[in-house]
Amino acid sequence: MTCAPKEPGWKVNRSGPEAYEQYIVPAWMDEWAKALVAVAKLQPGQRVLDVACGTGVVARKAAIGLGGSGNVSGLDSDPGMIRVAKQYAEKEHAPFIDWQCGDALRLPFPDEQVDVVLCQQGLQFFPDKQAALREMSRVLVRGGRLAISVWRGLDRSPFLAVLSEVLGRYLGPEISQLFQATCSLPRREDLRHLLKAAGFNHIHIRLESKVARHPSFLPFLHGYISVFPFAARIAALPETDQAGMFGDITTALGAFMDDDGLAVPMESHLLTACKPI
Ligand SMILES: C[S@@+](CC[C@H](N)C(=O)[O-])C[C@H]1O[C@@H](n2cnc3c(N)ncnc32)[C@H](O)[C@@H]1O
């Protein structure tokens, strides 16, 4: 009698960008996008650029806020994110948004043509943050406005801290580093220094805290993990390791479940600044 290897229990069943839009955006990014667009104080007719737009949650809110006046562009280096951004903008009937695949360090826009630059949770991933901020300044008109959000440290984010520890243990330290990178610009003074050095003035940094919610923890965790390329490695683990890993994460986050499901706090800095006139 032959014994066929057992099928692993969990499989990746959607693309990373689709999982991002389906799980992370509603649980997390949507509320933060509202806050970022609010501090940007958009005015009718303005030209807005969302840098590192991902699947476009901020650009969509900006376009809806402008009510079809002005124009909104969304730029991301990941073509998969841009593909899903186009699909969702159409699905949500957002006013026209110009989607571009490109690098934040070499923005494909002319000098001084944008009134507001937005960037939600992108700055910490750019290899040269100063160069990216200088590019944002270059495309802004004089007096133009910048609004950026950046997570605080892993010590202020129980969900990411637990994933970093448990996934690092099962898959290796390079996976922990991904989560450390997400929270790698935690200090207000470092952010202020970066903005000043890129030539911005009227710098204002606000600390905000929100609770990320999802009605059911395991489906959220499975969806969250599907976003990352390492999901394929988890899908290839033996079923017992998968169960151990998901079990360890669930136990460690037990304190962040209430009667409505997952309720995990996240803290972010919201930065606004202006290009000098
Ligand atoms: C955490 S996601 C945030 C996405 C989106 N702003 C949101 O709020 O949902 C970070 C995004 O930064 C993008 N990104 C990373 N490096 C980039 C670069 N050099 N230029 C443009 N986009 C970049 C990634 O592709 C990813 O979509």
Side-chain angles (χ1 to χ4, degrees):
M1 190 178 90
T2 54
C3 204
K6 208 165 186 295
E7 282 286 299
W10 176 79
K11 290 194 175 75
V12 188
N13 63 8
R14 54 181 65 72
S15 80
E18 276 154 4
Y20 186 89
E21 179 61 38
Q22 191 173 344
Y23 290 95
I24 298 187
V25 169
W28 265 336
M29 297 314 211
D30 194 77
E31 282 300 312
W32 286 103
K34 276 183 207 157
L36 189 68
V37 171
V39 297
K41 299 194 170 91
L42 301 184
Q43 303 297 318
Q46 281 187 320
R47 296 156 297 176
V48 178
L49 169 62
D50 178 15
V51 176
C53 64
T55 54
V57 61
V58 170
R60 291 198 297 268
K61 290 213 185 311
I64 290 165
L66 291 175
S69 74
N71 64 64
V72 178
S73 298
L75 172 132
D76 200 280
S77 57
D78 180 339
M81 287 290 198
I82 292 295
R83 179 179 51 77
V84 173
K86 281 181 186 161
Q87 282 168 9
Y88 272 80
E90 274 172 30
K91 210 163 145 184
E92 291 192 4
H93 304 293
F96 175 79
I97 298 168
D98 158 52
W99 300 107
Q100 299 219 20
C101 197
D103 187 354
L105 273 63
R106 278 172 299 157
L107 292 174
F109 298 95
D111 297 356
E112 304 195 352
Q113 294 291 315
V114 173
D115 299 299
V116 180
V117 169
L118 305 169
C119 181
Q120 171 160 279
Q121 306 304 341
L123 183 66
Q124 62 269 47
F125 298 107
F126 304 151
D128 186 341
K129 292 151 190 57
Q130 199 56 248
L133 288 169
R134 279 199 306 271
E135 270 296 89
M136 295 179 194
S137 171
R138 177 183 67 73
V139 300
L140 275 172
V141 296
R142 288 167 198 276
R145 195 163 165 83
L146 177 71
I148 294 186
S149 59
V150 186
W151 300 129
R152 290 186 86 201
L154 268 188
D155 58 331
R156 314 302 303 182
S157 170
F159 184 81
L160 298 181
V162 165
L163 260 65
S164 172
E165 191 279 314
V166 177
L167 296 179
R169 190 151 38 83
Y170 280 84
L171 299 176
E174 72 282 9
I175 304 300
S176 300
Q177 278 159 21
L178 289 177
F179 293 96
Q180 281 152 19
T182 302
C183 293
S184 57
L185 267 180
R187 284 163 38 90
R188 205 162 48 245
E189 285 324 306
D190 293 342
L191 293 167
R192 198 184 304 281
H193 174 76
L194 276 170
L195 290 172
K196 259 192 197 159
F200 286 97
N201 65 13
H202 299 298
I203 298 166
H204 185 89
I205 305 182
R206 179 183 166 86
L207 169 61
E208 285 271 352
S209 175
K210 294 187 187 298
V211 174
R213 286 195 171 272
H214 193 276
S216 183
F217 180 67
L218 261 187
F220 176 72
L221 179 62
H222 291 165
Y224 183 93
I225 282 176
S226 305
V227 169
F228 299 93
F230 64 72
R233 287 176 59 193
I234 295 177
L237 287 176
E239 195 176 346
T240 46
D241 284 4
Q242 284 187 2
M245 193 193 74
F246 289 132
D248 287 356
I249 294 172
T250 307
T251 305
L253 286 169
F256 301 102
M257 314 282 175
D258 65 14
D259 291 349
D260 294 324
L262 176 71
V264 70
M266 285 290 283
E267 289 185 3
S268 181
H269 284 120
L270 293 183
L271 291 58
T272 52
C274 290
K275 175 167 170 172
I277 294 177

